[in-house]
Amino acid sequence: CAASLLVNHHLPAEAGVGRFIPDLALPGGKLRDFSSRKFLVIALTNTTCPLCKKYTPTLADLEKTYSPKGIAFLYLNPTDHAAASPFAGKYVIDKQGELAAALGATSTTDVFVLDSARTIVYRGAVDDQYGIGYAPDAPKRKFLARALDQLLAGQTPEVQATTAPGCALDLAAPTTKS
């Protein structure tokens, strides 16, 4: 796969931070179904990207830590057509890539945090542990956990946007239906 470079900090607006996400349909519901939670983490994943596989345990641990604090987790698979979920949170196969495109996802490991009004407040990498050609024993910077801690404390995340190190996605831009 064509890989993104890890953790180049973006200007938040260029990465979509501050952008409203429409109430898109999901299998069995809509995005607004998560509005009772303080925040919604949307983590892209799939079963073929080696970095997605490495991040599965980290995301599962983050979900266990932050779900009791009012944060919902939605796992979005934009590339596979069928897969079993290793996560407790809702797992969605985005067959047409509509939600991933609406988010502006560019990588199989992109993570988005939406507030209860469906505005992107963080977008980027889970942490800096894995990338193409490297995998240290532990991360030096835990971008997602730090952002969630700061958001729960009523603060703007210190780092609002990074790039994510997964396989590049080629998604069509969302179209408006007439």
Side-chain angles (χ1 to χ4, degrees):
C1 68
S4 302
L5 297 175
L6 176 63
V7 191
N8 293 324
H9 298 279
H10 286 291
L11 292 174
E14 289 176 2
V17 173
R19 189 162 47 87
F20 172 77
I21 302 300
D23 188 21
L24 299 172
L26 305 170
K30 290 191 150 229
L31 270 182
R32 73 171 163 237
D33 297 341
F34 296 97
S35 65
S36 65
R37 303 303 297 264
K38 293 175 186 174
F39 297 97
L40 170 62
V41 173
I42 302 175
L44 273 73
T45 189
N46 74 20
T47 59
T48 58
C49 173
L51 293 177
C52 287
K53 291 176 184 180
K54 287 182 179 184
Y55 273 116
T56 295
T58 304
L59 286 167
D61 287 344
L62 287 166
E63 182 178 10
K64 285 178 192 168
T65 300
Y66 289 97
S67 288
K69 298 177 183 184
I71 297 176
F73 283 73
L74 171 67
Y75 300 95
L76 185 66
N77 183 333
T79 59
D80 300 335
H81 295 292
S85 170
F87 303 107
K90 188 171 182 76
Y91 188 86
V92 174
I93 305 294
D94 189 16
K95 292 177 186 174
Q96 306 304 317
E98 291 175 9
L99 181 53
L103 290 165
T106 57
S107 165
T108 54
T109 62
D110 256 333
V111 175
F112 298 83
V113 179
L114 280 58
D115 64 15
S116 60
R118 295 191 317 274
T119 301
I120 298 173
V121 293
Y122 172 81
R123 185 266 176 95
V126 171
D127 60 35
D128 64 356
Q129 184 171 6
Y130 302 117
I132 305 302
Y134 63 91
D137 291 337
K140 291 181 183 167
R141 297 190 69 193
K142 297 179 179 182
F143 297 110
L144 178 58
R146 178 85 172 134
L148 293 175
D149 289 339
Q150 290 173 328
L151 288 164
L152 287 169
Q155 303 168 352
T156 299
E158 175 186 345
V159 175
Q160 295 176 308
T162 71
T163 56
C167 300
L169 294 173
D170 183 21
L171 301 170
T175 56
T176 306
K177 295 179 182 177
S178 319

